[in-house]
Amino acid sequence: LEYSSLEDTTIETWAASAFAARPLVESERGALGLRLGLKVCDFDNAYRAFAGERGGAGLRRDASSNYDRMQGPLVGLEGRLDFGRSRIEAVLDQSVVFTSVELSWMYRDFTGPHAEEGPFTNPRGLSESEDVTIPITELRLAWIYQFTDAFALGLSAEASSWWDLPLPPGIVPEDGAGARREETVTFVAYGARATLRF
């Protein structure tokens, strides 16, 4: 027997923040500030998989979680440490966003070689909506080297964790058909930056 997700399994997400920053501590070696603002974001995923034998018979799983627009308050800290021409910048934000989510799943049997296209029989499924609260923790770090007063290069890393996201039922093989679970999803990104001042 084989269990495999299909190519049209997707995760779509975006996030934006608006905030005001207030300095708390400043010195020749660095600074620390407070950030207060608003977080707006979205998260959707569609899950497609089959369990059975390719070219034989099996079970097709389709599930999705569709979130309405999320928004909520943001509070954070931003800091900077200077080491000669180098400096380290860090931002730690904590948000709590509110939304509603529609969770749905469907199981269908298939016979034949095309788990992606059917033909399918014996469909069964369920759809439900609920209000949810999602904490989001974000950490950004950057190292910057100031070559001149006008030119700097740096490296950055960023992680964003979305806590206790309700996932569509039935996307994990060992779960029952209607079993629900919550997962924490973490996105990580790396980058380079250049600053040129005129």
Side-chain angles (χ1 to χ4, degrees), residues 36-50:
L36 296 174
L38 176 69
K39 184 81 170 179
V40 181
C41 52
D42 195 15
F43 184 96
D44 296 298
N45 83 314
Y47 187 83
R48 311 281 186 260
F50 82 93

Side-chain angles (χ1 to χ4, degrees), residues 105-144:
W105 64 269
M106 176 176 288
Y107 282 7
R108 294 173 290 173
D109 298 326
F110 69 87
T111 301
H114 302 296
E116 295 87 350
E117 302 174 5
F120 300 111
T121 60
N122 190 25
R124 60 269 192 202
L126 183 68
S127 179
E128 61 182 11
S129 297
E130 64 176 276
D131 295 329
V132 295
T133 301
I134 308 296
I136 300 176
T137 305
E138 296 174 292
L139 175 64
R140 292 185 288 278
L141 296 173
W143 170 79
I144 300 167

Side-chain angles (χ1 to χ4, degrees), residues 40-129:
V40 181
C41 52
D42 195 15
F43 184 96
D44 296 298
N45 83 314
Y47 187 83
R48 311 281 186 260
F50 82 93
E53 301 178 2
R54 283 194 182 271
L59 179 71
R60 167 71 180 262
R61 300 170 181 240
D62 295 273
S64 66
S65 57
N66 295 308
Y67 289 78
D68 291 337
R69 187 66 45 82
M70 307 180 194
Q71 58 186 9
L74 174 151
V75 61
L77 293 172
E78 59 181 18
R80 187 191 78 246
L81 288 175
D82 297 318
F83 304 93
R85 289 187 175 272
S86 297
R87 71 178 182 272
I88 296 175
E89 297 178 351
V91 174
L92 177 63
D93 285 337
Q94 180 64 56
S95 308
V96 178
V97 295
F98 306 92
T99 187
S100 61
V101 58
E102 181 180 352
L103 302 172
S104 62
W105 64 269
M106 176 176 288
Y107 282 7
R108 294 173 290 173
D109 298 326
F110 69 87
T111 301
H114 302 296
E116 295 87 350
E117 302 174 5
F120 300 111
T121 60
N122 190 25
R124 60 269 192 202
L126 183 68
S127 179
E128 61 182 11
S129 297

